[in-house]
Amino acid sequence: MRLVLPLIALCASLTACAAPETGADFDRPALLERLPAATAADIGRADRHILVVRHARKIAPDCNALDCPLSPRGEAMTAQLASLIGAPPVDEAFASAACRTLRTAEAGGQAVTVHQAADGLETGCAADDTITRSRADAFAQAAASQARWTLVGEHSNTSCLWLAEFAGEAAAQTVGCTDGRLEETAYGDVFWLYRLDGAWQVAVLPAAFEVAESD
């Protein structure tokens, strides 16, 4: 009995020192549970979050016009992203003015504010769109915002611009930006910018909203 009691005390002590249940009180646990425990613990303390996503899969790989729609697989991806984000809607959502990025950013459940797909390009998803807001405007708004959750829909290259703008070029390269763009085959990743103790960092959830191609 003298041996049993110290062992019980030791076990209780080890349990108390174990990694905390980081997702217990977090407002979007489905996202947090996809992270390694150490990263999740940091992100659980962050005060702001910007989720940057490349648009879901489009109707054809060579369809590059601004009005190019998502494929059925891409639409299923946006549904998966919406499920992953969960309720309530994000506080704000931004996207380039292309239809595919706009439709993807709508997964956040919030009205999407669009900016130019490329600097000076004032056309957008609809034929009569005139887009004067620049990506620099979106950067400035996101940086100054007090929104806890922001969702951003972008392209393979412009996703990297957001990561470099907030977390730095080296961090962007670490999570998959090569020569300023994501790999051509990289779809469904969520790039999670988070502000911790006043500094922005980035983590990645690989293929978090990718779906298998249907038969």
Side-chain angles (χ1 to χ4, degrees):
M1 186 64 172
R2 290 179 181 177
L3 180 61
V4 171
L5 288 176
L7 284 175
I8 292 173
L10 177 61
C11 290
S13 175
L14 290 174
T15 301
C17 294
E21 293 293 333
T22 55
D25 299 318
F26 194 73
D27 47 348
R28 298 191 190 274
L31 288 168
L32 200 68
E33 68 186 13
R34 289 176 171 264
L35 291 165
T39 306
D42 280 346
I43 288 183
R45 297 189 297 110
D47 65 335
R48 289 200 56 211
H49 307 271
I50 302 176
L51 305 177
V52 180
V53 295
R54 180 189 187 178
H55 61 78
R57 292 181 181 270
K58 52 191 177 180
I59 196 70
D62 60 351
C63 185
N64 293 313
L66 292 181
D67 62 354
C68 180
L70 296 177
S71 66
R73 184 180 179 186
E75 292 173 353
M77 289 175 68
T78 63
Q80 171 66 16
L81 179 59
S83 176
L84 191 62
I85 292 171
V90 296
D91 302 301
E92 59 187 9
F94 303 143
S96 94
C99 291
R100 56 192 178 277
T101 49
L102 172 57
R103 297 286 91 83
T104 303
E106 288 174 343
Q110 183 64 268
V112 180
T113 302
V114 299
H115 50 263
Q116 294 173 344
D119 289 347
L121 182 61
E122 295 191 349
T123 53
C125 177
D128 58 351
D129 283 347
T130 300
I131 310 300
T132 59
R133 174 181 164 89
S134 69
R135 186 169 285 104
D137 294 331
F139 288 161
Q141 182 178 343
S145 176
Q146 296 304 308
R148 178 165 168 81
W149 289 98
T150 301
L151 177 64
V152 179
E154 283 285 4
H155 305 266
S156 60
N157 59 334
T158 57
S159 294
C160 292
L161 294 179
W162 280 85
L163 305 185
E165 175 73 18
F166 284 85
E169 186 66 42
Q173 292 178 11
T174 298
V175 296
C177 292
T178 303
D179 295 329
R181 67 186 312 119
L182 302 172
E183 293 291 335
E184 186 58 35
T185 56
Y187 280 95
D189 297 345
V190 174
F191 298 93
W192 192 336
L193 290 162
Y194 59 98
R195 191 175 69 182
L196 182 62
D197 300 327
W200 286 97
Q201 301 179 50
V202 61
V204 60
L205 308 182
F209 67 105
E210 174 69 298
V211 298
E213 186 173 7
S214 59
D215 296 331

